[in-house]
Amino acid sequence: MAYRELLTRPVLTWSAVALAARLPVAMAPLALVFLVRERPGGYTLGAVLAAAYVIGEIVAAPVLGIRLNAERARPHLAIGLVVGAVGFAGLGLAADAHPVVLGLLAFLAGAGPAASPGALRALLTSLVPEKAVTQALSIESVQTFVIWALAPALVSGLALGVDPAVPLLLQGGLMAASVAGLWALPPGWRAENQEQGGEPMRRVLLRAWPVYVMGAGSLTLLALAELILPALLEQREIGIGWAGPLLAGFSIGSAVGAFVYGLRSGWPGRLPVQSLVLILGVAAGVALMAVLPSAGTIAVALTLAGILQAPAMLTRNLALRQILPPSALAAGYSVMYAAVGAGYAASGSLAGGLLAVVAPSTAILFGVGLTLLLTAIGAVGERRIESAGQPAAQPTAPARKVRR
């Protein structure tokens, strides 16, 4: 299945809606920092607001995802995105409000649309043939990393060149536009086995816990790369201005890796093995970043890590399709979203605490150790599930025929 065969009207429409819904999410943490940075203790307040936003995402994603009706997803998505738009617009309009008010608005902006990433992913895979799912998820990943590469520059330019409230107002407008775009897409997706054979949804989702753990382990590496890199550059006596280009290289590498992974419908090895190898490769790249002496060598290590990072996450999403029934996929993607957010937050907290007592390079190596621990737990869990002979909901028989 060539990428050009995905250039259909429904997929292009989905891409526009996803861009409008996800760009505000990528802009949010930095936009919150810029919003309050000129207040006394502004950077600390900005970090607290960003934390409130992320907590809103982590808490709400699994709760809302479980309640999502696959075949009538549009109203659920619309309400969540409207709540997010109101939260962002409120932050922009009430920039001078009390910190508690800003914190509540930030939590609301994160919680409202928290189920939309998983639901949009499930909707995308329903718009393409089964044999094109890998390519569709690859294109989604490419779009995501491009968005995350562009968002910091967009926020910085608007906040410094116009007004700190403008990025938040733009985020609210984009999210509201995504609500209108939902009516150009199907109202939901067909979900066979809606009742999961009578098994409660929570038990069905718990079945995939090793996938969530390995996904969280993968995102801890991204947190290390983003949060400790400036301190590492200072330790190496490299200009801190290199942080932006180096992280851009990581994002560009990830977009390239996602595209390359989608060039084939199947790669050698089972998905759990692919995930394990890819995550170990990313861990090796981040560990090299901690010990290499120059900006050029760090750039090479980060770019190579980025190339492997996107396929690592893609294999986790494909693994969910094997374990969960169609009716639980959107909820499973939402739980994954919460898990990787929790992994990012945990790694960031660990890194922040370690930087107070050890050198940045040592803090990175500790973080890599945390990733390896989570990866080992997830790999053992997946192995036990396979040994127990648990049946997978995907791929279906027709899908296997296509892959042969």
Side-chain angles (χ1 to χ4, degrees), residues 14-31 53 57 81 88 113 116-117 120 143-155 158 167-168 170-178 337:
W14 178 93
S15 297
V17 173
L19 175 65
R22 291 175 175 176
L23 182 55
V25 175
M27 295 170 63
L30 187 58
Y53 175 85
E57 289 186 303
L81 291 169
F88 283 125
S116 64
L120 286 173
Q143 183 193 57
T144 298
F145 279 104
V146 169
I147 287 173
W148 280 90
L150 295 177
L154 181 60
V155 171
L158 291 175
L168 277 304
L170 174 62
Q171 289 165 255
L174 285 171
M175 198 157 276
S178 72
Y337 187 73

Side-chain angles (χ1 to χ4, degrees), residues 111-372:
S116 64
L120 286 173
R121 181 175 298 127
L123 182 58
L124 171 63
T125 57
S126 74
L127 298 175
V128 302
E130 179 67 27
K131 64 181 181 179
V133 166
T134 298
Q135 285 73 25
L137 292 177
S138 295
I139 287 296
E140 181 205 24
S141 185
V142 170
Q143 183 193 57
T144 298
F145 279 104
V146 169
I147 287 173
W148 280 90
L150 295 177
L154 181 60
V155 171
S156 301
L158 291 175
L160 298 176
V162 186
D163 187 89
V166 170
L168 277 304
L169 296 175
L170 174 62
Q171 289 165 255
L174 285 171
M175 198 157 276
S178 72
V179 176
L182 290 176
W183 269 259
L185 295 171
W189 56 93
R190 185 178 178 183
E192 300 174 0
N193 303 324
Q194 186 71 27
E195 300 300 326
Q196 302 92 41
E199 190 176 8
M201 176 67 82
R202 287 180 175 81
R203 185 175 298 175
V204 172
L205 295 175
L206 186 60
R207 184 188 304 162
W209 71 264
V211 181
Y212 309 138
V213 171
M214 291 187 74
S218 178
L219 257 287
T220 61
L221 295 168
L222 179 59
L224 293 173
E226 289 185 342
L227 302 178
I228 304 184
L229 181 59
L232 178 69
L233 294 178
E234 288 187 348
Q235 179 188 356
R236 296 282 185 265
E237 298 182 349
I238 301 171
I240 197 171
W242 278 98
L246 289 172
L247 291 175
F250 182 92
S251 295
I252 293 170
S254 296
V256 171
F259 182 84
V260 171
Y261 188 84
L263 291 175
R264 296 182 56 173
S265 294
W267 289 83
R270 297 175 299 106
L271 285 174
V273 176
Q274 291 182 24
S275 295
L276 181 61
V277 172
L278 289 166
I279 293 174
L280 291 178
V282 180
V286 174
L288 282 174
M289 180 186 81
V291 299
L292 292 173
S294 66
T297 53
I298 292 175
V300 171
L302 265 181
T303 302
L304 292 176
I307 290 173
L308 300 177
Q309 171 72 18
M313 291 306 301
L314 278 169
T315 57
R316 298 293 78 206
N317 289 324
L318 290 170
L320 281 180
R321 291 179 59 81
Q322 289 187 340
I323 296 174
L324 300 179
S327 59
L329 275 177
Y333 291 141
S334 295
V335 173
M336 171 73 86
Y337 187 73
V340 298
Y344 188 100
S347 182
S349 300
L350 174 65
L354 288 173
L355 284 176
V357 294
V358 300
S361 56
T362 306
I364 289 176
L365 295 176
F366 270 107
V368 170
L370 173 62
T371 293
L372 295 177

Side-chain angles (χ1 to χ4, degrees), residues 82-122:
V82 166
V83 170
V86 170
F88 283 125
L91 285 163
L93 294 173
D96 296 325
H98 191 277
V100 174
V101 175
L102 295 180
L104 291 174
L105 288 172
F107 181 90
L108 193 69
S116 64
L120 286 173
R121 181 175 298 127

Side-chain angles (χ1 to χ4, degrees), residues 33 36-37 39-50:
V33 172
V36 297
R37 72 185 183 93
R39 289 191 179 193
Y43 283 108
T44 300
L45 175 58
V48 171
L49 294 180

